Amino acid sequence: MDIRIINPNTTASMTALIGRCAQAAAASGTRITAVSPKMGPASIESHYDEALSVPGILEEIRHGERDGADAYVIACFGDPGLYAARELAHGPVIGIAEAAMHMASLIGNSFSVVTTLERTCGMAWHLAERYGMRHACRNVHASELPVLDLEKPGSNARGIILEACRSALVQDRSECIVLGCAGMADLCEDLTAELGVPVIDGVVAAVKLVEALVGMRLSTSKHGDWARPLPKPYTGLLAPFALA
Ligand code: 2AL
């Protein structure tokens, strides 16, 4: 099974980290290819970043379709371009926020999201609403670590995220932690051991969900909302995005 993981930001070291964490959790027959778009923001921390990441993500979906990928993971906690990607792809496409929230809801009545900057908390709430997880999501907590600082030596990312998780569990009386950034994937095991509650990283959650879907020969329904987009001309910089 070929799973393509798209890191919607263009930071190659983060794409490599996501790929390593995904491969470590994947089944023996699963081949993970982690890619990032060739155009777009270095990190995604606003609606603006998110909107401008989408053309690059869709280009990667088209490459995956050309290469015969079986399924896709969109590895950014805002799930940018998820529904458009589903319209283009034959196989399943899962976003890490939807994967993590759904997985969390299966093992606890409530979860807390621990994310990067305060300004991204609203985006996580929008997703909780969209996925019907409003009741289970007790709160969304900012660590105030910018995405790229997660990988910066000396940023104490692990310690800061650990403290944010501890404080979230006390404040929210929640039962699990959902990590609110793909760049936190490598912290998951360690945080689980330290905190004593389930910690869900969306990258691994999404890999395991697409493996299950492909294993069941299930794919995105093309009878309705996620049918292939209609052919039409696109102009300017977006001309190459016109579909036949
Ligand atoms: C993210 C993420 O997962 N990748 C990225 O660039 N930004 N999410 C976030 N909440 O900051």
Side-chain angles (χ1 to χ4, degrees), residues 130-146:
R130 172 161 116 177
Y131 301 141
M133 294 289 160
R134 191 75 179 71
H135 63 290
C137 182
R138 286 270 165 91
N139 208 348
V140 181
H141 299 257
S143 62
E144 286 307 351
L145 260 183

Side-chain angles (χ1 to χ4, degrees), residues 34 61 80:
I61 298 278

Side-chain angles (χ1 to χ4, degrees), residues 29-240:
T30 299
R31 190 154 61 90
I32 300 285
T33 309
V35 297
S36 35
K38 71 169 189 281
M39 58 182 169
S43 62
I44 298 171
E45 299 167 314
S46 65
H47 292 283
Y48 184 82
D49 295 338
E50 199 170 285
L52 290 174
S53 72
V54 174
I57 295 168
L58 297 178
E59 191 172 43
E60 290 307 322
I61 298 278
R62 290 178 78 180
H63 292 163
E65 292 298 284
R66 178 197 64 198
D67 302 342
D70 294 303
Y72 302 85
V73 169
I74 298 190
C76 170
F77 202 77
D79 294 351
L82 176 62
Y83 291 174
R86 280 192 183 141
E87 291 179 342
L88 280 187
H90 287 93
V93 186
I94 304 278
I96 66 167
E98 70 172 351
M101 289 184 193
H102 281 90
M103 287 281 201
S105 75
L106 299 173
I107 53 168
N109 272 306
S110 60
F111 61 82
S112 303
V113 176
V114 172
T115 189
T116 55
L117 301 181
E118 177 74 38
R119 62 169 305 150
T120 68
C121 291
M123 295 153 89
W125 275 120
H126 288 307
L127 293 180
E129 188 80 45
R130 172 161 116 177
Y131 301 141
M133 294 289 160
R134 191 75 179 71
H135 63 290
C137 182
R138 286 270 165 91
N139 208 348
V140 181
H141 299 257
S143 62
E144 286 307 351
L145 260 183
V147 171
L148 297 183
D149 279 13
L150 285 166
E151 292 194 291
K152 203 184 266 177
S155 70
N156 187 28
R158 181 192 168 282
I160 292 170
I161 303 296
L162 178 60
E163 274 323 299
C165 291
R166 281 208 172 105
S167 137
L169 289 169
V170 172
Q171 278 180 50
D172 300 350
R173 299 171 154 272
S174 55
E175 294 156 50
C176 343
I177 294 285
V178 163
L179 298 178
C181 181
M184 298 176 185
D186 62 331
L187 302 176
C188 188
E189 218 176 290
D190 210 21
L191 293 172
T192 306
E194 293 273 358
L195 294 166
V197 298
V199 179
I200 297 118
D201 151 49
V203 174
V204 167
V207 167
K208 300 318 280 182
L209 279 175
V210 291
E211 281 183 344
L213 289 168
V214 174
M216 292 171 73
R217 300 184 190 285
L218 290 173
S219 195
T220 304
S221 173
K222 292 294 168 181
H223 293 271
D225 203 29
W226 294 322
R228 188 167 172 81
L230 300 174
K232 68 191 65 165
Y234 274 57
T235 54
L237 286 176
L238 294 180

